[in-house]
């Protein structure tokens, strides 16, 4: 069985893609990397194809015809990971807001300490966000408080997009049934894993706002999260979640 696959969705990330790929490939723990590019007009996918000559067995590319949403990109990546026998599957951004070195801490939380899902958390030790305007920090922080209030989920950083899953989580959840495609997708994946009884841990990270390229964040994304959480909670009342016995990996 292959061990580790990092999934990075991209749209117009030509300024970051070489550096993020090298950073992942140079880590002390071996990771394969899957780039899911949504038809970037800036040539991101061409750069990845060029880099594949350097890492032919470790760097993989899926090209899609346009911007189809973050959630659908990850679902495509999860299916790829399961089809290709990966045991640990990671979500990460292309823009260095997530430090590639922290992949090792997420991996260890699952592979050595027995978690089913490890979350790179900005809020488990205070607020660890660099170069964000205060309004955005408050919006993100209070979004997580809101999610905890509505759902009861015991996670400090409910909107985090830096995660490691053991494959059993993805096999149980069936990501195709996840209904959100924007940032609420991140909340729904955590909520569903929690409802199934998987062991979730938060690993402290420092989140740094991107230096190159443009952010994909918008007020609409947070609006989806606010109303989506209510809808998700109501739907969950009419659904049965089979309890999963956490395996030691």
């Amino acid at each position: 069985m292959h061990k580790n696959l990092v999934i990075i969705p991209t749209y117009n990330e030509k300024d970051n893609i070489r550096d993020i790929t090298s950073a992942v490939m140079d880590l002390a723990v071996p990771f394969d990397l899957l780039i899911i590019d949504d038809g970037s007009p800036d040539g991101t996918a061409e750069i990845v194809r060029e880099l594949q000559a350097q890492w032919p067995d470790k760097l993989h590319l899926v090209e899609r015809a346009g911007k189809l949403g973050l959630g659908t990109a990850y679902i495509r990546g999860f299916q790829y990971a399961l089809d290709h026998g990966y045991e640990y599957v990671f979500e990460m951004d292309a823009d260095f807001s997530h430090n590639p070195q922290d992949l090792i801490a997420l991996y260890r939380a699952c592979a050595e300490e027995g978690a089913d899902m490890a979350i790179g958390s900005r809020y488990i030790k205070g607020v660890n966000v660099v170069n964000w305007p205060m309004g955005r920090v408050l919006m993100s922080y209070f979004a997580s408080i809101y999610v905890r209030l509505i759902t009861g989920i015991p996670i400090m950083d409910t909107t985090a997009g830096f995660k490691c899953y053991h494959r059993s989580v993805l096999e149980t959840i069936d990501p195709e049934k996840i209904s959100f495609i924007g940032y609420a997708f991140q909340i729904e994946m955590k909520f569903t894993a929690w409802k199934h009884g998987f062991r979730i841990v938060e690993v402290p990270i420092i989140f740094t706002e991107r230096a190159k390229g443009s952010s994909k964040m918008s007020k609409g994304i947070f609006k989806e999260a606010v109303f989506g959480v209510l809808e998700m909670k109501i739907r969950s009342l009419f659904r049965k979640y089979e309890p999963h016995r956490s395996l030691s990996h």
Side-chain angles (χ1 to χ4, degrees):
M1 184 181 272
H2 300 285
K3 198 81 168 166
N4 305 316
L5 181 68
V6 179
I7 302 167
I8 298 182
T10 55
Y11 184 77
N12 285 351
E13 291 290 356
K14 71 176 172 60
D15 293 337
N16 291 304
I17 197 65
R18 288 180 198 280
D19 291 343
I20 198 76
T21 299
S22 296
V24 171
M25 293 301 171
D26 290 345
L27 291 169
V29 172
F31 293 90
D32 288 5
L33 180 56
L34 171 63
I35 306 296
I36 301 195
D37 187 68
D38 272 7
S40 297
D42 73 348
T44 300
E46 284 84 346
I47 296 170
V48 176
R49 281 198 294 276
E50 180 190 314
L51 293 171
Q52 281 179 309
Q54 197 171 341
W55 296 287
D57 302 322
K58 289 172 66 68
L59 179 58
H60 312 283
L61 172 66
V62 169
E63 294 182 73
R64 306 198 304 169
K67 287 189 81 172
L68 301 173
L70 185 75
T72 66
Y74 278 127
I75 288 166
R76 179 77 177 78
F78 295 155
Q79 199 54 60
Y80 183 99
L82 294 174
D83 290 347
H84 290 81
Y86 287 95
E87 189 174 3
Y88 297 102
V89 184
F90 300 77
E91 294 182 11
M92 191 172 80
D93 291 346
D95 60 10
F96 285 94
S97 54
H98 303 144
N99 183 344
Q101 288 289 338
D102 290 329
L103 287 166
I104 295 172
L106 295 177
Y107 167 73
R108 289 191 173 135
C110 289
E112 296 172 13
E113 292 158 31
D116 300 304
M117 179 196 287
I119 298 166
S121 177
R122 296 163 291 187
Y123 306 130
I124 196 72
K125 288 188 174 175
V127 177
N128 288 307
V129 177
V130 177
N131 293 341
W132 263 13
M134 184 51 70
R136 190 168 161 195
V137 173
L138 292 172
M139 190 159 60
S140 172
Y141 185 74
F142 284 107
S144 272
I145 292 175
Y146 169 77
V147 173
R148 287 201 300 280
L149 281 172
I150 298 294
T151 64
I153 191 170
I155 292 173
M156 292 297 292
D157 194 348
T158 57
T159 60
F162 193 20
K163 302 204 285 290
C164 172
Y165 302 89
H166 186 257
R167 67 177 287 122
S168 58
V169 178
L170 302 177
E171 288 168 334
T172 301
I173 284 180
D174 184 5
E176 294 286 348
K177 292 185 180 155
I178 297 293
S179 55
F180 296 113
I181 61 171
Y183 277 73
F185 168 84
Q186 303 289 13
I187 300 168
E188 191 174 4
M189 286 293 290
K190 296 181 192 77
F191 178 73
T192 310
W194 174 64
K195 293 290 280 185
H196 278 291
F198 284 102
R199 182 168 171 241
I200 303 171
V201 300
E202 291 184 84
V203 174
I205 63 157
I206 294 173
F207 180 99
T208 306
E209 176 62 0
R210 65 163 64 232
K212 298 176 185 173
S214 60
S215 173
K216 317 297 190 292
M217 185 61 69
S218 69
K219 285 199 170 75
I221 283 166
F222 273 104
K223 199 180 285 184
E224 180 205 52
V226 168
F227 294 110
V229 167
L230 276 173
E231 183 191 324
M232 180 185 77
K233 173 64 178 173
I234 292 163
R235 272 203 321 267
S236 75
L237 302 175
F238 303 96
R239 182 177 160 191
K240 193 171 189 301
Y241 297 86
E242 290 299 325
H244 171 82
R245 291 187 186 283
S246 192
L247 305 168
S248 57
H249 313 141

